Amino acid sequence: MNLDSKIPEGPIGEKWTKHKFNLKLVNPANKRKYDVIVVGSGLAGASAAATLAELGYNVKCFCFQDSPRRAHSIAAQGGINAAKNYQNDGDSVYRLFYDTIKGGDYRAREGNVHRLAEVSVNIIDQCVAQGVPFAREYGGLLDNRSFGGAQVSRTFYARGQTGQQLLLGAYSALSRQIELGKVKMYPRTEMLDLVMIDGHARGIVTRDLVSGEITTHSGHAVLLCTGGYGNVFYLSTNAQGSNATAIWRAHKKGALFGNPCFTQIHPTCIPVTGDHQSKLTLMSESLRNDGRVWVPKNKGDKRNPQDIPDEDRDYFLERKYPSFGNLVPRDVASRNAKEQCDAGKGVGASGLAVFLDFADAIKRLGEDQVRAKYGNLFDMYEQITGENPYKTPMRIYPAVHYTMGGLWVDYNLMTTIPGLYALGEANFSDHGANRLGASALMQGLADGYFVIPYTLGDYLAGLGTKPVDKNHPAFKEAENKVKENIKKLLSINGTKTVTEYHRELGKIMWEFCGMARNEQGLIKAKGMIKALREDFWKNVKVLGENESFNQSLEKAGRVADFLELGELMVDDALNRKESCGGHFREEYQTEENEAKRDDDNFAYVAAWEYKAEGQHTLHKEPLKFENVKLTQRSYK
Amino acid sequence: MSGSMKLTLKVWRQKDARSKGQFVNYEAKNISPDMSFLEMFDVVNEDLIKKGEEPIAFDHDCREGICGACSMYVNGRPHGPKSGITTCQLHMRSFKDGDTIVVEPWRAKPFPVLKDLVVDRSAFDRIIQAGGYVSVNTGGVPDANAIPIPKKDADAAFDAATCIGCGACVAACKNASAMLFVSAKVAQLAFLPQGQVERKERVEKMVDQMNEEGFGSCTNTGACSVECPKLISQDNIALLNREYIKAKLTSDNV
């Protein structure tokens, strides 16, 4: 298979401009003859659905939540990057591009990332015009803060609820198009398969989560904006419903999966308290602007943190990385926290935590100013842990947060299936092996507001305006397969619950394919996942029937997919015999325990083709770096 | 690491929208004070599944207090006994060993029960669709810093914009009024220069839709604001009333 990324020729700063001109257009009168299916209503999905409807396309938008406003983008806390250089501190489109390529440990495409940096400035304009209440200075202009992996202040924010405010902006644009009749919204509806006609994506099969009705929908193109697959790990910062089913079932129909093992472990999450734990809560990276990370210098120092004097503390990030200090990228911060805990210096009851301390910030700024900046995060922390972070340092530990991998897409965001697109976290495209903080919101909105509206037209213009033949047997066939699959799940009636399988899978993934990986462990994990999957299909207990509101059944389908995807993640991690970004292979590290890349052999995107259950073929898309010089990342 | 708390739950069970519901008692055992209220429900549900009984359906998603999905009426209060939080942020340390806890769905006519503790809140979406936005298309907008906004106004807009659309305000209100929800959106956009162009039309349309959905009138009891997990101020309702009267006095839509 020839993986053509379709990156336009020419200097990096002109690629997108030139490409936009070269893309075919659909004339305004013809746009209404095209039906577009958008799956997911987060930042990518809502912005795409709204913008395409504004252009005149007929859009059908689907989400599993009861309202599009609840998509998990809503939970993003810290902010959104944009190369506005409002602070006059040396930022530029090129610097954002450079930081993102470097932050991703040189495993992202230059062309995509530069485009992302270019449109970042439009996103902020758009959101402000929608009435998104970003934080402002007393002079009335927009405020910025710093995030990890950058030495400029380019992060726009709305207290600790930036994702919420941006999503409500996109949701409002979507709502307007629903009112205008250009978007038909299907809440509480889950996509369960892709319908293909002559090798093109032409529709989807869905289940109505209230009535259980299985239906098919046709469209000239299908956009998957369904987020990431961090819930493979069971415990993550994702929402309970976040799942990989849409992208995984599209993958099984032929869409290649890019860099599945690239997972982001976020350094600042509230530590696990017990087996009952259902999710992990993030404490925004923005806290590292003012919080100082430390552990006791001496193993087993169980004194109260306030009683440990400065000379007995190790501010390990500041010590090891003097120029970036507490603001090193996420992968570096996470690995260092693990290292300290592995060395026996972890804090709290489990020993799996480090301190994030605001005492100095409170002394410097006063409690009120700290409250104004981070109040809601401090409240949330206290709610969950019962401890007051104004008085005692927070305890934090890394947790799965984001997946850089996803469906392989070309520069137009099209997967290897013509007519099937992937946007936002669902694709693999812009973050390489590690995403910088405040870049997920940027990418979701870039894809939806400013990329897909241009690139989709190019594909549709080549199709002609004939409606999709809804009577084509492919629809019935796909629908029947979905029904069979559900019937099978309900008929097993074994002894173990879906959650038990999910929790077990998560433990395997976290132990062997989490923050640090090695060959032996990965081989072991592969066997364990396979055995667990086989057992699932023999012994899972799913009660109830299809024709009703059945949350166990919903979950069973999702976990069944995670059990397959988990194995592919392990395969990918095994194949990548180097360390880069969030992918840390213990066999490949520098003397200072930093990730050691192998650019000669692994400067490529690993794109996996589905062959049969547990069997994949690897295709490689070489990464060309024409502007940025590949170096060992250094934040010292 | 499970805990040792034991509780009795009286939970509303209802098969679907058409069926009649009833309270059913359950024992919650091995509960840890560190569990969230929803994690306690997870434990109960796992037990039920093991016994071959259908688990209790409830809406939930982010479990960090921001998506607005969870919607339990706990011991007679939306989102339970603590103020300023959603059910998912309520932890079992707020209860005592041996407590009996009554759990019901939101009870309001415009929010019909779909199953057990799950209700249909799509009426809120339709109110936003009626006008809860600034009508700008993507592209062609001015630079973000072209219009300075006084920090005080931006902060006031933000405070109103923190609404998560959970519906606790409606559930708390004896009239099932949605005024707090509607006023939060109206206020957010009324405080911002971007919201001025459609200011009058917006409030008229949203209030009309609110009435059409069957939400009750506001009698200023203030329960909504007290129970709001984001503590959205009742002042917004006063603002909504002013906005509505002003709009009606000078309305183009007679």
Side-chain angles (χ1 to χ4, degrees):
Chain A
M1 184 179 294
N2 177 31
L3 283 178
D4 182 2
S5 63
K6 302 210 172 89
I7 303 284
E9 293 298 319
I12 189 88
E14 291 167 24
K15 283 180 195 285
W16 178 231
T17 309
K18 255 170 88 180
H19 188 66
K20 279 192 286 188
F21 181 74
N22 289 331
L23 289 168
K24 277 178 265 177
L25 296 172
V26 178
N27 93 50
N30 278 344
K31 287 202 178 87
R32 71 177 86 98
K33 295 176 186 156
Y34 292 102
D35 300 323
V36 181
I37 288 173
V38 178
V39 185
S41 67
L43 287 179
S47 61
T51 306
L52 293 170
E54 287 162 10
L55 288 172
Y57 297 110
N58 304 309
V59 178
K60 285 182 170 185
C61 183
F62 299 82
C63 70
F64 72 78
Q65 297 88 347
D66 70 321
S67 161
R69 68 179 291 149
R70 302 199 208 286
H72 195 51
S73 306
I74 199 119
Q77 298 170 354
I80 177 165
N81 287 328
K84 281 287 200 184
N85 194 29
Y86 281 161
Q87 304 303 323
N88 195 31
D89 59 356
D91 200 10
S92 62
V93 165
Y94 197 83
R95 187 174 298 281
L96 176 53
F97 155 73
Y98 177 87
D99 286 350
T100 308
I101 289 280
K102 178 185 169 194
D105 218 356
Y106 310 96
R107 290 295 174 263
R109 285 185 196 138
E110 282 192 344
N112 282 58
V113 173
H114 198 277
R115 173 176 67 189
L116 178 66
E118 284 173 57
V119 305
S120 69
V121 298
N122 306 113
I123 296 171
I124 303 303
D125 298 343
Q126 188 63 38
C127 295
V128 167
Q130 290 168 344
V132 169
F134 282 117
R136 286 178 184 269
E137 310 263 16
Y138 283 99
L141 300 182
L142 293 162
D143 191 19
N144 291 117
R145 59 187 172 197
S146 312
F147 253 59
Q151 288 176 310
V152 294
S153 277
R154 63 159 77 96
T155 305
F156 294 79
Y157 67 101
R159 264 175 241 171
Q161 285 140 271
T162 317
Q164 179 196 27
Q165 294 309 318
L166 295 178
L167 182 64
L168 293 182
Y171 162 76
S172 72
L174 175 67
S175 296
R176 176 170 161 247
Q177 294 305 314
I178 295 172
E179 180 74 1
L180 292 169
K182 288 305 288 180
V183 176
K184 172 95 176 89
M185 188 71 218
Y186 296 83
R188 290 200 198 268
T189 307
E190 181 168 29
M191 167 179 163
L192 291 180
D193 211 352
L194 181 71
V195 179
M196 308 232 316
I197 300 178
D198 303 329
H200 288 241
R202 284 294 175 263
I204 59 173
V205 184
T206 60
R207 179 168 182 272
D208 178 323
L209 300 182
V210 178
S211 69
E213 193 189 352
I214 312 285
T215 326
T216 56
H217 299 268
S218 65
H220 294 87
V222 176
L223 277 49
L224 302 184
C225 314
T226 52
Y229 49 90
N231 271 345
V232 168
F233 290 85
Y234 184 67
L235 285 181
S236 78
T237 64
N238 284 5
Q240 298 294 295
S242 301
N243 67 83
T245 289
I247 56 170
W248 187 252
R249 297 194 182 174
H251 168 63
K252 288 170 86 167
K253 287 259 163 116
L256 266 52
F257 208 112
N259 297 334
C261 82
F262 285 171
T263 314
Q264 176 159 84
I265 316 279
H266 197 294
T268 50
C269 299
I270 300 178
V272 177
T273 58
D275 268 347
H276 59 265
Q277 192 109 17
S278 59
K279 84 154 276 160
L280 295 171
T281 302
L282 177 77
M283 289 284 105
S284 165
E285 175 157 318
S286 61
L287 293 170
R288 287 198 274 142
N289 269 300
D290 289 306
R292 299 179 70 194
V293 177
W294 64 277
V295 291
K297 246 186 205 152
N298 305 312
K299 244 164 89 168
D301 188 341
K302 290 287 168 207
R303 283 180 285 177
N304 270 331
Q306 297 92 323
D307 300 336
I308 301 179
D310 241 16
E311 62 268 21
D312 288 345
R313 298 177 176 194
D314 180 11
Y315 295 91
F316 54 93
L317 291 178
E318 295 172 25
R319 172 173 58 80
K320 287 176 73 177
Y321 308 96
S323 53
F324 280 70
N326 292 298
L327 282 175
V328 290
R330 291 174 175 178
D331 54 333
V332 179
S334 292
R335 225 163 20 244
N336 274 282
K338 181 180 189 293
E339 209 178 279
Q340 296 299 328
C341 294
D342 288 351
K345 295 180 185 174
V347 301
S350 64
L352 289 177
V354 299
F355 288 126
L356 179 63
D357 197 337
F358 292 87
D360 286 346
I362 291 172
K363 225 183 282 165
R364 193 175 71 244
L365 305 165
E367 197 173 312
D368 284 350
Q369 216 181 319
V370 169
R371 180 170 283 116
K373 270 177 149 169
Y374 309 114
N376 69 316
L377 299 171
F378 278 45
D379 291 348
M380 199 197 288
Y381 182 84
E382 184 167 1
Q383 210 47 253
I384 293 172
T385 63
E387 292 174 3
N388 177 354
Y390 292 102
K391 303 280 173 234
T392 186
M394 289 185 177
R395 285 172 295 109
I396 52 158
Y397 197 66
V400 174
H401 181 51
Y402 186 89
T403 47
M404 281 74 70
L407 291 185
W408 184 92
V409 290
D410 63 17
Y411 191 67
N412 294 324
L413 304 181
M414 201 197 283
T415 66
T416 48
I417 297 176
L420 180 72
Y421 293 78
L423 281 65
E425 192 180 350
N427 72 32
F428 86 104
S429 70
D430 294 355
H431 306 296
N434 173 56
R435 178 176 65 73
L436 288 183
S439 284
L441 305 185
M442 171 172 70
Q443 189 221 337
L445 290 179
D447 287 358
Y449 282 137
F450 296 109
V451 178
I452 197 72
Y454 291 90
T455 58
L456 182 65
D458 187 62
Y459 169 75
L460 295 177
L463 284 185
T465 55
K466 234 173 71 191
V468 176
D469 176 15
K470 191 76 203 283
N471 295 319
H472 194 283
F475 285 94
K476 205 76 218 162
E477 223 171 88
E479 184 183 321
N480 287 339
K481 259 189 97 181
V482 164
K483 284 180 176 163
E484 255 169 56
N485 193 45
I486 290 175
K487 223 170 158 183
K488 199 168 155 200
L489 281 170
L490 288 168
S491 68
I492 299 167
N493 197 20
T495 58
K496 265 169 78 173
T497 66
V498 175
T499 304
E500 285 174 310
Y501 283 102
H502 193 186
R503 197 182 282 132
E504 238 172 274
L505 172 68
K507 280 189 177 151
I508 299 171
M509 295 302 293
W510 179 245
E511 183 168 353
F512 300 108
C513 199
M515 261 190 287
R517 303 148 177 196
N518 63 55
E519 186 169 271
Q520 218 184 346
L522 288 165
I523 289 171
K524 191 171 162 198
K526 191 170 158 66
M528 290 168 82
I529 297 168
K530 195 164 175 264
L532 188 66
R533 187 171 63 232
E534 281 166 8
D535 189 60
F536 174 92
W537 284 104
K538 277 189 215 129
N539 198 25
V540 72
K541 189 178 185 79
V542 187
L543 298 172
E545 52 188 16
N546 175 62
E547 288 71 28
S548 70
F549 191 104
N550 188 341
Q551 290 172 317
S552 315
L553 176 61
E554 288 167 30
K555 188 150 193 220
R558 295 168 191 166
V559 171
D561 292 335
F562 286 148
L563 283 163
E564 295 180 17
L565 170 55
E567 189 178 350
L568 177 62
M569 291 166 71
V570 167
D571 280 336
D572 188 41
L574 262 175
N575 169 69
R576 194 167 280 277
K577 295 188 172 59
E578 63 161 352
S579 293
C580 56
H583 170 64
F584 191 74
R585 281 282 299 262
E586 288 166 348
E587 304 96 314
Y588 310 99
Q589 48 182 308
T590 66
E591 277 166 20
E592 292 157 311
N593 307 108
E594 303 292 346
K596 191 171 169 192
R597 290 197 325 268
D598 177 356
D599 294 328
D600 292 338
N601 294 305
F602 289 97
Y604 64 75
V605 177
W608 298 86
E609 183 186 1
Y610 184 86
K611 288 288 177 194
E613 198 178 296
Q615 288 174 36
H616 280 84
T617 307
L618 173 64
H619 301 273
K620 298 176 183 175
E621 180 204 332
L623 290 166
K624 288 192 229 76
F625 293 90
E626 292 162 345
N627 299 277
V628 177
K629 200 167 149 264
L630 277 69
T631 52
Q632 165 75 33
R633 264 190 328 169
S634 170
Y635 292 97
K636 288 192 186 290
Chain B
M1 244 198 303
S2 50
S4 58
M5 286 172 80
K6 212 165 135 186
L7 303 143
T8 306
L9 302 178
K10 286 170 88 82
V11 183
W12 186 259
R13 301 296 311 256
Q14 183 172 336
K15 191 169 177 293
D16 52 38
R18 290 172 302 279
S19 310
K20 234 177 110 177
Q22 58 173 342
F23 281 105
V24 179
N25 287 3
Y26 298 98
E27 281 243 299
K29 285 176 294 195
N30 305 323
I31 302 303
S32 146
D34 287 331
M35 286 180 189
S36 71
F37 198 77
L38 300 187
E39 284 168 347
M40 182 269 293
F41 259 79
D42 291 343
V43 171
V44 172
N45 272 344
E46 285 289 287
D47 280 351
L48 286 176
I49 296 171
K50 290 267 183 187
K51 280 194 279 185
E53 288 177 45
E54 257 210 70
I56 303 158
F58 60 94
D59 264 327
H60 64 108
D61 202 24
C62 79
R63 295 204 176 187
E64 49 186 293
I66 194 74
C67 75
C70 59
S71 47
M72 291 183 186
Y73 206 76
V74 182
N75 283 344
R77 293 184 64 181
H79 297 303
K82 294 194 80 173
S83 101
I85 56 168
T86 53
T87 313
C88 66
Q89 297 297 287
L90 178 64
H91 279 68
M92 296 315 292
R93 66 179 81 92
S94 298
F95 298 90
K96 288 195 303 290
D97 191 25
D99 275 359
T100 296
I101 308 175
V102 182
V103 189
E104 302 160 78
W106 282 176
R107 291 172 306 172
K109 213 168 162 196
F111 290 163
V113 174
L114 296 175
K115 182 174 184 171
D116 300 340
L117 305 172
V118 178
V119 299
D120 177 357
R121 287 169 285 189
S122 53
F124 270 11
D125 286 320
R126 288 188 293 274
I127 292 174
I128 298 294
Q129 285 155 22
Y133 39 75
V134 178
S135 297
V136 289
N137 284 353
T138 303
V141 298
D143 183 88
N145 259 351
I147 311 173
I149 302 174
K151 185 166 164 51
K152 162 172 86 50
D153 293 346
D155 286 348
F158 180 87
D159 286 339
T162 55
C163 169
I164 56 175
C166 66
C169 48
V170 173
C173 179
K174 60 178 179 158
N175 307 321
S177 166
M179 288 283 270
L180 192 66
F181 171 76
V182 175
S183 71
K185 184 52 76 180
V186 166
Q188 177 201 341
L189 296 175
F191 282 122
L192 296 173
Q194 289 82 5
Q196 299 311 309
V197 176
E198 299 162 287
R199 187 167 174 172
K200 283 197 287 182
E201 212 182 327
R202 174 179 310 116
V203 67
E204 286 181 89
K205 284 181 171 173
M206 289 181 73
V207 169
D208 286 353
Q209 188 65 37
M210 173 184 87
N211 292 334
E212 198 173 307
E213 298 290 347
F215 291 102
S217 306
C218 173
T219 48
N220 290 308
T221 66
C224 53
S225 202
V226 171
E227 299 294 7
C228 171
K230 298 297 155 183
L231 300 175
I232 289 177
S233 163
Q234 208 190 336
D235 293 352
N236 291 307
I237 296 183
L239 179 140
L240 172 64
N241 284 326
R242 288 198 301 277
E243 290 289 313
Y244 187 71
I245 291 166
K246 262 195 283 183
K248 276 295 168 200
L249 285 174
T250 57
S251 178
D252 304 324
N253 315 320
V254 202

